[in-house]
Amino acid sequence: MLNLDLSNVAQFLPGGWRTGQEPGLRKAHDYVLGGTGAGGEYTGWVRLPADYDREEFDRIQKAAAKIRSDSKALVVIGIGGSYLGARAVIETLTSNNYNLTHKDGPAVYFAGNGLSADAMNEVIELVKDVDFSVNVISKSGTTTEPAVAFRIFKALLEEKYGKEGAKGRIYATTDAKRGALKGLADKEGYETFVVPDAVGGRYSVLTAVGLLPIAAAGVDIDALMSGAREEMELLAKPGMDNPAWQYAAARHALYDAGKRIEILAGYEPSFRFFGEWWKQLFGESEGKQGKGLFPASVEFTADLHSMGQYIQQGERLMIETVVRFDTARSKITIPDDPENVDGLNFLSGRSLGFVAEQAMRGTILAHVDGGVPNILLTAPARDERSLGGLIYFFEFACGLSGYLLEVNPFDQPGVEAYKNNMYALLGKPGYEAQKAALEKRLDS
């Protein structure tokens, strides 16, 4: 379904680089499929497109239909993997201006992913005078950013609809059995969906974590899962003809050759947030023990007029992965100008898509000539099936890549450092000694 082109990689690597990666990839493949490597208890996403809970999936669709019928807005509260995947899918498949362009169903606002009072108040202003619902997503219910946001929007709902009316507008996606949010949801009678124990946040977009807000935005989640399942079946077959093996092998060989940054580039503005999801996926999975490619993302052609200079002639530390959609959804023809003021009449009658395609092809060649290895990944169309496949492709390749680096691709121990410091400085009980030590450092 996806087409991977590595023709602009080989010239940067020694001969035999593919076969040199094969033993490590075979081991990594077994770890991912069998759940036998480090973090194997979090490989529940591997078979998810085929083995997902059908009963919950049906409830997700019914809840989404209810939200679409009774709400002009949906506030999705979550941080990291609890919101990035949903936002990436919604915007990629609709528009980065979804809340302005959607014709039916609710606007979708994301909160609880930061601590800006201005941003929070903006969402409050956008929803307070319309019918709205809340989907709070947190496995524990105690993560600071989403927990604070949920307090605020829960109070707003209860003030607007009363406690009884509010509970029918709150959907909690959380642990199946335990945690603060699960306890509150059971007590108050919120409809609940499950954050699976065996699926980490950055791999959770194809669970209720991502699927409820995605379905509420009108996306066909059956087709999304179907595309992921097709890719799952393809990538389950070991061997160097496996596209995920090829991508992971190229990344790892280039890393061994001294590359330190991977840029994900897309040519659709709606793809920008997919890049944000991709950055978390690879950054949180590989960035350990002083290892890993630093993931960055750009939107072309816009960023060619800002980041383009550095990509072309800056330090030669980067590789570039370009995602291209083969079929455009719409067409614009460039008109003729009798005066030809801009000198562009050679493009008269051409489609804008044709111009974009040549811009992409020319950019790839320029960057390769400038010393940037280039990987091109083509999806058939900007639709649910293609995007489901693209999500699964990157998830699988990321698992392989982590094991090639000999790190655990499914934990994130470094994330706790900032949390512990924040808890101490906020005065959370049990952090008194750490608070005093940190304040002394800050005062000095």
Side-chain angles (χ1 to χ4, degrees):
M1 186 169 69
L2 303 174
N3 180 62
L4 185 70
D5 181 354
L6 297 178
S7 60
N8 289 307
V9 167
Q11 66 205 76
F12 296 94
L13 293 170
W17 66 270
R18 290 176 189 258
T19 54
Q21 300 289 330
E22 189 167 356
L25 280 164
R26 193 164 296 280
K27 183 185 292 185
H29 188 89
D30 291 342
Y31 284 163
V32 171
L33 283 186
T36 53
E41 65 272 26
Y42 294 107
T43 53
W45 56 271
V46 175
R47 291 283 309 166
L48 186 69
D51 297 342
Y52 61 89
D53 184 335
R54 264 61 177 181
E55 184 275 332
E56 182 177 60
F57 192 83
D58 184 59
R59 287 197 301 112
I60 288 169
Q61 291 177 310
K62 289 176 180 176
K66 179 177 180 295
I67 293 167
R68 289 175 63 78
S69 69
D70 69 10
S71 301
K72 293 295 185 183
L74 172 66
V75 180
V76 179
I77 297 174
I79 195 167
S82 293
Y83 92 101
L84 283 169
R87 186 164 182 180
V89 172
I90 291 169
E91 292 194 5
T92 300
L93 293 179
T94 60
S95 165
N96 52 308
N97 298 312
Y98 166 79
N99 286 337
L100 297 175
T101 60
H102 72 284
K103 294 181 172 59
D104 58 3
V108 180
Y109 301 107
F110 293 90
N113 48 65
L115 293 167
S116 165
D118 290 346
M120 188 77 74
N121 275 317
E122 182 178 79
V123 178
I124 290 170
E125 286 298 314
L126 287 165
V127 304
K128 69 178 185 179
D129 295 326
V130 301
D131 287 323
F132 75 99
S133 295
V134 166
N135 177 204
V136 55
I137 306 165
S138 175
K139 191 163 181 63
S140 66
T142 59
T143 302
T144 304
E145 294 91 337
V148 166
F150 183 51
R151 277 196 180 200
I152 292 166
F153 285 98
K154 176 175 174 285
L156 196 62
L157 278 172
E158 290 179 349
E159 179 183 348
K160 188 178 180 72
Y161 299 104
K163 201 170 183 67
E164 187 65 24
K167 78 176 185 181
R169 292 178 172 273
I170 296 174
Y171 303 84
T173 307
T174 187
D175 191 272
K177 299 176 181 177
R178 63 185 71 86
L181 181 55
K182 173 61 175 171
L184 178 65
D186 288 347
K187 176 186 172 185
E188 299 292 341
Y190 307 150
E191 183 165 9
T192 60
F193 300 92
V194 175
V195 180
D197 287 338
V199 181
R202 58 190 177 274
Y203 291 85
S204 67
V205 60
L206 298 178
T207 72
V209 170
L211 293 178
L212 179 56
I214 289 169
V219 172
D220 182 351
I221 60 174
D222 280 302
L224 190 73
M225 295 299 282
S226 177
R229 184 170 60 253
E230 290 175 24
E231 195 68 17
M232 179 198 77
E233 291 167 353
L234 172 68
L235 301 184
K237 301 169 186 175
M240 288 308 297
D241 57 346
N242 181 316
W245 279 42
Q246 294 174 23
Y247 178 57
R251 295 177 79 252
H252 193 66
L254 290 163
Y255 178 75
D256 283 345
K259 300 302 181 183
R260 291 296 177 264
I261 299 166
E262 181 177 13
I263 302 170
L264 185 75
Y267 281 77
E268 288 288 344
S270 66
F271 191 70
R272 181 182 287 270
F273 238 90
F274 192 96
E276 298 300 313
W277 171 80
W278 177 89
K279 286 190 290 188
Q280 185 198 6
L281 179 68
F282 279 90
E284 207 169 53
S285 297
E286 292 189 320
K288 294 152 196 172
Q289 302 172 29
K291 300 177 182 179
L293 287 161
F294 180 83
S297 61
V298 289
E299 179 202 322
F300 290 159
T301 60
D303 287 338
L304 290 171
H305 296 259
S306 56
M307 293 297 293
Q309 173 61 42
Y310 190 96
I311 296 168
Q312 189 69 42
Q313 293 183 325
E315 287 203 56
R316 302 296 77 191
L317 297 174
M318 68 194 76
I319 69 175
E320 189 173 55
T321 297
V322 178
V323 175
R324 169 183 174 271
F325 295 100
D326 195 34
T327 304
R329 289 184 174 178
S330 61
K331 184 177 180 179
I332 294 179
T333 300
I334 299 170
D336 188 70
D337 178 7
E339 302 295 326
N340 198 22
V341 174
D342 52 19
L344 294 178
N345 269 358
F346 69 96
L347 295 177
S348 297
R350 291 284 195 178
S351 72
L352 192 58
F354 170 81
V355 178
E357 181 73 8
Q358 305 322 307
M360 184 200 75
R361 296 172 72 197
T363 300
I364 289 173
L365 292 176
H367 289 178
V368 170
D369 290 346
V372 181
N374 227 278
I375 298 168
L376 177 61
L377 185 61
T378 299
R382 191 159 59 93
D383 60 16
E384 287 90 343
R385 180 172 165 271
S386 295
L387 200 65
L390 195 62
I391 288 167
Y392 192 87
F393 171 84
F394 279 126
E395 289 180 342
F396 198 90
C398 186
L400 296 177
S401 294
Y403 286 130
L404 286 177
L405 278 175
E406 299 183 337
V407 301
N408 181 343
F410 307 116
D411 68 354
Q412 53 281 338
V415 174
E416 298 305 313
Y418 101 87
K419 289 183 180 179
N420 290 332
N421 285 352
M422 179 178 68
Y423 291 151
L425 292 170
L426 288 170
K428 185 174 182 177
Y431 288 78
E432 290 81 6
Q434 187 174 346
K435 176 180 171 67
L438 290 174
E439 288 181 338
K440 183 178 180 180
R441 285 176 60 193
L442 291 168
D443 289 344
S444 65

